[in-house]
Amino acid sequence: ASFSTLPTSKGLRWFIAFVLIAALGAVSFLRTQIFALPAGVPSEISGALLVSQAIPEGAPVLVVFDYEPARAGEMEAAASPMFNLMRNPNFTFISTSEAGAILAERFISGPLADSDQSGIQHLNLGYLPGGQMGIHAFAQDPFFIFPQLRDTTSLSQFAALIIITDNANSVRAWIEQTSSERGEIAVVAISSAQSAPMIQPYYDSSQIRGLVSGIYGSAVFEQNMSGGSGISRKYWDAYSIGMLLAMALILSGGLISFAFGLRDRVAARE
C-alpha cells in the first residue's frame, strides 16, 4: 500500500517565513531581555578566557579572518567578547579568503567601534594566496611574504594566534602548517556553531587552547567578563525564540505527517 504525504505548499512556506521574520524582527527591534543568558563555563571557553586575559597590553596578536561574508553577523558576535577583553593589543590581520581584508575592517569599524575598546592598533595584511602552501610560506618567513612586518621575522613573536572561521578546514590548515614555526604561542579558534563539532577535537588534543563558537559561546564568554553584557545580549532573545520556533515547527510537521500516515493506514485497512 502506498501512503500519501503532506503536499508542499507555497502558501505554507510563505506563512512560516512570515512568522519567523515577524517574531525575530520584533524581538530584535524591541531589544527584549526575557531569556536569561547561559550559566556555566565549558572548558574550551574557559581556555579562551585565560588566553585573552594573559595577553600583555600592547602585545602583537595575529588574527585570521577566514569566513564568508554571509556569516559576518554570527562571527562578529562570537568574536567581539574576546577582543573586548584584551588590553589594547597590536593586531595583525590576515586572511586566506579574498573577502577577509574587508571583513576585518568591517569588524574594527563595527562591533569594536561600538565597544569600550579605544586606541586599537592594527595592521591589515589582506589576502594570503596559495592556500596551505601560502600559510606554510608565511609561517616560515612572515617578513618575506609581507614586507610590512618590518620587525617580525618569526611567527613565534606573536603573543597569540586567533583563527576566526566558519570552516574547520581553515583551523586544520593553520594548525598543521604553522606547528613547527609558532613555538609556544597560544592558539584560539572562534567558529560558527555548525563548525564547532569538527573543531572540538583540536581542543581535546591540546592543539588549540580555547574555542568559542556561535552566539552561545559568545554569551557564555560575556557572562564571565566584568563590565556587563555586550553584543550577544542583543541577539540572545532573538536567537532563543528562533530556536524555539524551529523546534515547534519541526514537531508540528512531524505530528501532522504522523496523523496523515495514520489516517491512510486506517483507510487502507477498510
Side-chain angles (χ1 to χ4, degrees), residues 138-144 149-158 181:
F138 173 76
Q140 288 188 317
D141 193 344
F143 175 73
F144 179 77
L149 296 171
R150 297 181 182 87
D151 301 322
T152 306
T153 58
S154 171
L155 200 65
S156 60
Q157 291 178 248
F158 290 99
E181 307 294 338

Side-chain angles (χ1 to χ4, degrees), residues 180-202:
S180 61
E181 307 294 338
R182 65 174 184 267
E184 298 298 320
I185 69 172
V187 181
V188 173
I190 300 175
S191 78
S192 61
Q194 69 173 14
S195 297
M198 293 175 285
I199 299 174
Q200 183 70 35
Y202 292 103

Side-chain angles (χ1 to χ4, degrees), residues 150-213:
R150 297 181 182 87
D151 301 322
T152 306
T153 58
S154 171
L155 200 65
S156 60
Q157 291 178 248
F158 290 99
L161 168 61
I162 301 175
I163 307 168
I164 311 175
T165 184
D166 59 354
N167 190 334
N169 287 330
S170 177
V171 174
R172 177 182 59 80
W174 278 97
I175 290 174
E176 291 179 354
Q177 301 303 320
T178 65
S179 59
S180 61
E181 307 294 338
R182 65 174 184 267
E184 298 298 320
I185 69 172
V187 181
V188 173
I190 300 175
S191 78
S192 61
Q194 69 173 14
S195 297
M198 293 175 285
I199 299 174
Q200 183 70 35
Y202 292 103
Y203 172 78
D204 295 337
S205 60
S206 301
Q207 296 182 75
I208 60 176
R209 296 193 192 175
L211 171 62
V212 181
S213 59

Side-chain angles (χ1 to χ4, degrees), residues 5-6 12 16 245-261:
T5 58
L6 186 65
L12 179 61
I16 292 173
L245 283 174
M247 291 171 60
L249 289 170
I250 292 170
L251 180 60
S252 298
L255 290 173
I256 292 172
S257 295
F258 176 76
F260 271 77

Side-chain angles (χ1 to χ4, degrees), residues 10 15 19 21 36 72 76 86 97 102 107 110 118 125 139 146 160 170 187 199 206 211 215 224 245 256 260-261:
K10 183 181 292 186
F15 173 75
V19 170
I21 293 171
E76 289 173 356
M86 290 185 280
S97 168
I102 298 173
F107 184 64
S118 60
L125 298 176
F146 290 104
S170 177
V187 181
I199 299 174
S206 301
L211 171 62
I215 302 296
N224 293 273
L245 283 174
I256 292 172
F260 271 77

Side-chain angles (χ1 to χ4, degrees), residues 6 9 23 33 49 61 81 87 101 128-129 135-137 145-146 184 189 244 253:
L6 186 65
S9 168
Q33 295 189 9
L49 275 163
V61 175
R87 299 185 294 274
L128 174 66
I135 296 172
H136 184 70
I145 303 299
F146 290 104
E184 298 298 320
L244 289 174

